[in-house]
């Protein structure tokens, strides 16, 4: 039986805006955006710096609440999530990849990758066993006991991806994941995320200003000044 | 491991912090040890006394900070009471010992050598006083002024030979010395004056009844049994000494809290991004809180171990420089101070957690 398309939506934004500041200092970071993101989809938010991509990602991750409009993640209105549930949701169902990797320097590669699993209450040894599989998937198993300072940029980003995948999330949010990488390394990371979306039927939302990423995207949403310009496949 | 790695990532800071914590703990341990040493030295004389009852002038309730003047007639009257077995007079006075050009003050105890009551509580060398030209001095006093057995000391114009060295007679600010009652009376020039009488009741007699009898027969006297009199003196000693100890110990705790809070806060601020990332990734509140608490406890533990390692050699060093510093350390004291340090570290971690609360997940995206 085919699942209706609406059932596969895990992110739904309806005329969402986010305004920072007040009175004359008001700045609209996101303006009247409506979009959906579904399982099995790699969605790319494309736009220059300051176009509102990161703000939109943080809204989707439940780290910010919209100033106006309606927003649902995992089928539930964002306003209905108590803060503790949002924290648990991020630990269990959302994976994050950042532009500067943001690995914890004082943890080894395996500890970094297992960190999110520990947040879900899994014992440390179980978490590390589980995370090791994702290090293997990202071809960095041999780096497990190294510290981030000992890794190259490309290796660091692969660790970051392994960390994002380790809790097997339904949604991956990647903010400029290729921004600090060479083209080849960047494409490798995007392929990894693409594979994850397609093979495991997960949703990946990538914010980037790099047009080359668009090649692998299911949909590309172009943003400028906080607004969606257009959507293309 | 994570907490340890965070701490050792800045080795110099870690060493300085542990040294600071250790110094605070050493300060607290030192104060406690000195307090116990002084407590012992101040009242050991009374604790070891075998008298059943202490008889003093009215309104005098201890011998540390009270004046009591009784006449020898009181002694004669006490001896007439049927339930009293024996009576020994004691005269306590502050006196100055001359040692070459140096002058030192002692708490001179004149007692009756025949009964032995009121004499030195413990002798570490030599014997007790038997004759008027003999004296027993405290061991720390002897160490400080380099006196040894058979040396002579001068009190006023009298020359006395040291025949014994006593222990448990160091009250920190002053030390006890023992001479015959006759010698003490001749030093003040009043042969019929004593400070108090030490009474032994007849065997099997109820001490409360004997006390009542004494009060009835000789008005204007205070009569205390051994335990009450010991308690009175401990109370007097503590009232003079404890506020000082508490104040310095409290300063030690405040400094310890400040050092720990500062280090933990700096560690949090330096790892601001890490904490923001962990919050973004869905770290439960307790995970980060526990991380900070673990660091605080580890620092306290390291500081405590360092303090204990250095404390005993330090005390020995101090005793060599100032023998009158009488410190008495027990396992209970060490455990108490370590417990205080651990509680302080928890308090510090809660203080520094204010910083943690002000780190927002969004900072990971900036």
């Amino acid at each position: 039986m085919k699942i209706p398309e609406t059932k596969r939506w895990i992110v739904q934004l309806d005329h969402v805006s986010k305004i920072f500041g007040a009175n004359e200092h008001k700045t609209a970071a996101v303006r009247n955006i409506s979009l959906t993101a579904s399982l099995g989809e790699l969605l790319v938010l494309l736009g220059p710096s300051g176009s509102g991509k990161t703000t939109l990602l943080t809204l989707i991750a439940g780290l910010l609440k919209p100033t106006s409009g309606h927003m649902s993640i995992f089928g539930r209105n964002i306003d209905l999530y108590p803060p503790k549930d949002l924290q648990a949701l991020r630990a269990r169902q959302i994976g994050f990849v950042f532009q500067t990797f943001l690995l914890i320097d004082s943890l080894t590669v395996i500890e970094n990758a297992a960190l999110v699993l520990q947040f879900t209450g899994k014992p440390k040894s179980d978490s590390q066993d589980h995370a090791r599989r994702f290090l293997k998937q990202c071809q960095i198993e041999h780096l497990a006991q190294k510290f981030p300072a000992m890794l190259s940029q490309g290796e660091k980003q692969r660790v970051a991806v392994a960390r994002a995948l380790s809790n097997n999330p339904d949604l991956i949010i990647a903010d400029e994941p290729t921004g600090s990488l060479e083209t080849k390394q960047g494409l490798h990371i995007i392929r990894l995320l693409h594979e994850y979306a397609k093979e495991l039927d997960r949703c990946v939302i990538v914010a980037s200003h790099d047009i080359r990423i668009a090649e692998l995207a299911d949909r590309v949403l172009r943003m400028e000044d906080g607004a969606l310009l257009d959507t293309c496949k | 491991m994570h907490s340890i790695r965070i701490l050792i990532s800045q080795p110099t800071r870690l060493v300085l912090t542990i040294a600071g914590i250790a110094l605070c703990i050493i300060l607290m341990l030192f104060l406690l040890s000195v307090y116990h040493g002084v407590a012992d030295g101040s009242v050991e004389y009374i604790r070891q006394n075998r008298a059943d009852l202490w008889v003093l002038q009215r309104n005098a309730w201890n011998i540390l900070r009270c004046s009591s003047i009784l006449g020898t007639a009181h002694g004669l009257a006490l001896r007439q009471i049927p339930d009293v077995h024996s009576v020994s007079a004691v005269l306590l006075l502050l006196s100055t010992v001359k040692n070459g050009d140096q002058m030192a003050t002692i708490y001179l105890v004149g007692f009756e050598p025949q009964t032995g009551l009121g004499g030195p509580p413990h002798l570490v060398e030599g014997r007790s006083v038997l004759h008027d030209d003999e004296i027993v001095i405290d061991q720390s006093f002897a160490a400080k002024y380099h006196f040894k057995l058979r040396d002579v000391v001068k009190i006023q114009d009298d020359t006395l030979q040291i025949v014994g060295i006593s222990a448990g007679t160091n009250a920190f600010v002053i030390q006890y010395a023992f001479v015959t009652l006759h010698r003490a009376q001749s030093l003040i020039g009043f042969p019929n004056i004593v400070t108090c009488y030490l009474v032994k009741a007849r065997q099997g007699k109820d001490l409360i009844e004997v006390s009542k009898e004494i009060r009835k027969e000789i008005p204007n006297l205070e009569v205390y049994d051994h335990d009450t009199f010991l308690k009175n003196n401990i109370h007097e000693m503590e009232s003079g000494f404890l506020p000082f100890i508490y104040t310095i110990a409290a300063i030690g705790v405040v400094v310890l809290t400040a050092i720990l809070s500062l280090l933990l806060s700096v560690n949090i601020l330096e790892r601001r991004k890490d904490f923001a990332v962990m919050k973004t990734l869905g770290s439960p509140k307790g995970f980060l809180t526990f991380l900070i608490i673990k660091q605080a406890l580890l620092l306290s533990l390291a500081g405590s171990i360092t303090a204990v390692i250095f404390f005993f050699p330090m005390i020995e060093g101090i005793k060599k420089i100032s023998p009158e510093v009488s410190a008495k350390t027990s396992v209970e004291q060490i455990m108490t101070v370590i417990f205080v340090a651990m509680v302080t570290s928890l308090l510090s971690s809660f203080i520094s957690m204010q910083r943690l609360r002000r780190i927002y997940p969004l900072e990971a995206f900036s």
Side-chain angles (χ1 to χ4, degrees):
Chain A
M1 194 177 80
K2 194 182 172 193
I3 301 167
E5 197 57 31
T6 50
K7 292 272 182 194
R8 295 176 60 78
W9 290 348
I10 56 169
V11 176
Q12 191 180 8
L13 276 69
D14 185 15
H15 299 288
V16 165
S17 295
K18 180 67 192 175
I19 295 164
F20 292 109
N23 304 326
E24 65 269 27
H25 303 295
K26 261 185 190 174
T27 309
V30 169
R31 297 165 196 262
N32 201 28
I33 286 184
S34 298
L35 67 84
T36 57
S38 308
L39 291 170
E41 183 179 37
L42 174 67
L43 186 72
V44 173
L45 300 172
L46 200 65
S49 297
S51 58
K53 306 185 296 293
T54 301
T55 306
L56 187 57
L57 286 185
T58 54
L59 281 166
I60 292 169
L63 294 168
L64 280 178
K65 296 241 164 146
T67 312
S68 62
H70 296 282
M71 203 185 113
S72 299
I73 46 176
F74 300 102
R76 190 177 175 190
N77 190 310
I78 192 82
D79 293 326
L80 301 178
Y81 282 101
K84 206 177 166 191
D85 285 5
L86 277 175
Q87 165 262 311
L89 185 82
R90 289 199 300 276
R92 290 172 195 281
Q93 288 186 272
I94 306 177
F96 291 89
V97 183
F98 305 95
Q99 177 179 359
T100 48
F101 330 123
L102 298 183
L103 301 174
I104 312 291
D105 284 342
S106 43
L107 296 178
T108 61
V109 164
I110 187 72
E111 287 167 341
N112 263 290
L115 191 61
V116 185
L117 290 161
Q118 277 183 259
F119 293 162
T120 63
K122 247 192 178 151
K124 197 175 173 182
S125 57
D126 288 0
S127 305
Q128 292 194 3
D129 288 344
H130 191 83
R132 207 173 288 276
R133 293 211 297 269
F134 291 93
L135 292 186
K136 200 172 179 182
Q137 195 178 330
C138 297
Q139 296 165 6
I140 46 169
E141 200 189 6
H142 60 288
L143 302 174
Q145 298 308 324
K146 292 200 185 255
F147 285 94
M150 301 152 89
L151 307 179
S152 70
Q153 299 290 85
E155 286 169 337
K156 280 181 187 171
Q157 193 59 304
R158 277 193 273 170
V159 177
V161 171
R163 179 176 68 184
L165 304 184
S166 65
N167 56 345
N168 206 11
D170 290 318
L171 171 65
I172 287 193
I173 287 173
D175 186 23
E176 302 279 6
T178 60
S180 303
L181 302 177
E182 291 167 10
T183 310
K184 199 177 155 194
Q185 290 171 330
L187 279 172
H188 180 74
I189 293 297
I190 292 299
R191 275 196 199 103
L192 265 175
L193 294 173
H194 181 258
E195 271 171 36
Y196 184 75
K198 296 298 164 191
E199 287 173 16
L200 295 172
D201 196 27
R202 302 288 194 257
C203 176
V204 178
I205 303 176
V206 178
S208 179
H209 62 268
D210 185 355
I211 198 148
R212 289 167 298 183
I213 291 174
E215 284 175 32
L216 289 166
D218 294 303
R219 272 191 299 156
V220 178
L221 279 64
R222 284 203 307 131
M223 286 186 74
E224 203 172 280
D225 296 331
L228 274 187
L229 291 181
D230 53 35
T231 306
C232 52
K233 283 222 171 186
Chain B
M1 269 316 266
H2 190 190
S3 312
I4 294 174
R5 283 199 210 119
I6 288 175
L7 292 174
I8 60 174
S9 64
Q10 296 286 341
T12 311
R13 188 192 299 161
L14 178 66
V15 168
L16 288 174
T17 308
I18 290 174
I21 294 167
L23 280 174
C24 291
I25 292 172
I26 284 173
L27 174 72
M28 287 191 272
L29 265 179
F30 179 70
L31 289 171
L32 258 186
S33 304
V34 166
Y35 166 69
H36 281 276
V38 171
D40 254 26
S42 302
V43 296
E44 188 68 0
Y45 171 68
I46 299 157
R47 187 178 283 122
Q48 295 301 327
N49 201 292
R50 301 185 318 277
D52 294 325
L53 298 169
W54 289 70
V55 178
L56 295 95
Q57 183 190 323
R58 194 176 178 187
N59 294 325
W61 56 283
N62 68 79
I63 58 165
L64 297 177
R65 291 202 296 190
C66 270
S67 290
S68 170
I69 299 171
L70 298 175
T72 45
H74 286 100
L76 291 173
L78 283 166
R79 284 183 184 98
Q80 302 303 312
I81 295 169
D83 289 342
V84 170
H85 175 259
S86 67
V87 177
S88 287
V90 168
L91 176 59
L92 302 160
L93 57 133
L94 288 168
S95 195
T96 306
V97 172
K98 286 179 201 156
N99 176 31
D101 294 339
Q102 281 184 301
M103 307 271 271
T105 307
I106 49 166
Y107 198 37
L108 200 62
V109 181
F111 71 104
E112 296 179 43
Q114 311 88 282
T115 65
L117 276 183
H122 306 287
L123 281 166
V124 289
E125 265 187 272
R127 57 168 175 80
S128 189
V129 169
L130 295 176
H131 307 290
D132 285 351
D133 57 351
E134 294 174 346
I135 187 169
V136 169
I137 58 169
D138 172 72
Q139 63 176 350
S140 58
F141 185 85
K144 186 173 182 184
Y145 295 101
H146 311 293
F147 286 128
K148 51 187 187 301
L149 279 183
R150 287 181 286 282
D151 280 356
V152 288
V153 294
K154 278 194 92 175
I155 299 179
Q156 292 175 16
D157 293 326
D158 296 352
T159 304
L160 302 167
Q161 187 179 36
I162 298 167
V163 293
I165 307 286
S166 65
T169 44
N170 175 14
F172 188 41
V173 285
I174 198 158
Q175 289 77 42
Y176 289 76
F178 300 86
V179 293
T180 61
L181 176 66
H182 181 252
R183 171 62 64 192
Q185 286 172 329
S186 76
L187 284 169
I188 57 166
F190 292 102
N192 299 320
I193 294 291
V194 302
T195 301
C196 59
Y197 285 101
L198 309 178
V199 172
K200 292 278 278 182
R202 289 197 189 282
Q203 205 153 15
K205 291 292 170 189
D206 180 9
L207 293 179
I208 296 171
E209 290 305 317
V210 179
S211 301
K212 276 183 189 166
E213 213 179 328
I214 293 172
R215 281 195 200 99
K216 195 175 123 196
E217 295 296 325
I218 319 168
N220 295 327
L221 289 185
E222 297 286 357
V223 185
Y224 299 101
D225 62 69
H226 176 269
D227 290 348
T228 310
F229 196 60
L230 179 64
K231 218 180 283 174
N232 288 351
N233 282 276
I234 290 173
H235 178 265
E236 186 56 33
M237 180 271 302
E238 286 181 342
S239 68
F241 201 59
L242 277 185
F244 163 75
I245 295 279
Y246 283 151
T247 307
I248 300 183
I251 291 170
V253 171
V254 170
V255 172
L256 183 62
T257 311
I259 291 172
L260 274 168
S261 304
L262 186 68
L263 180 96
L264 293 171
S265 298
V266 169
N267 270 352
I268 290 172
L269 289 177
E270 276 184 351
R271 289 180 163 69
R272 194 178 183 103
K273 202 89 175 181
D274 287 357
F275 285 112
V277 169
M278 286 194 264
K279 283 186 174 186
T280 299
L281 298 180
S283 158
K285 208 174 166 190
F287 185 91
L288 298 180
T289 305
F290 192 49
L291 190 66
I292 305 298
I293 290 174
K294 266 198 287 187
Q295 285 181 48
L297 290 175
L298 280 168
L299 284 168
S300 277
L301 191 66
S304 301
I305 293 167
T306 312
V308 172
I309 290 169
F310 285 98
F311 178 68
F312 293 101
M314 191 201 83
I315 283 287
E316 287 311 308
I318 289 174
K319 276 184 182 170
K320 276 195 181 117
I321 299 164
S322 302
E324 71 274 23
V325 175
S326 83
K328 202 174 171 191
T329 315
S330 65
V331 176
E332 286 83 6
Q333 285 168 34
I334 294 172
M335 297 316 285
T336 304
V337 171
I338 291 177
F339 176 74
V340 169
M342 291 298 166
V343 172
T344 307
S345 65
L346 284 179
L347 177 69
S348 312
S349 53
F350 289 122
I351 292 171
S352 49
M353 253 172 244
Q354 303 299 325
R355 303 240 170 248
L356 189 61
R357 267 182 221 119
R358 281 183 234 129
I359 295 174
Y360 302 100
L362 278 181
E363 292 177 35
F365 291 87
S366 58

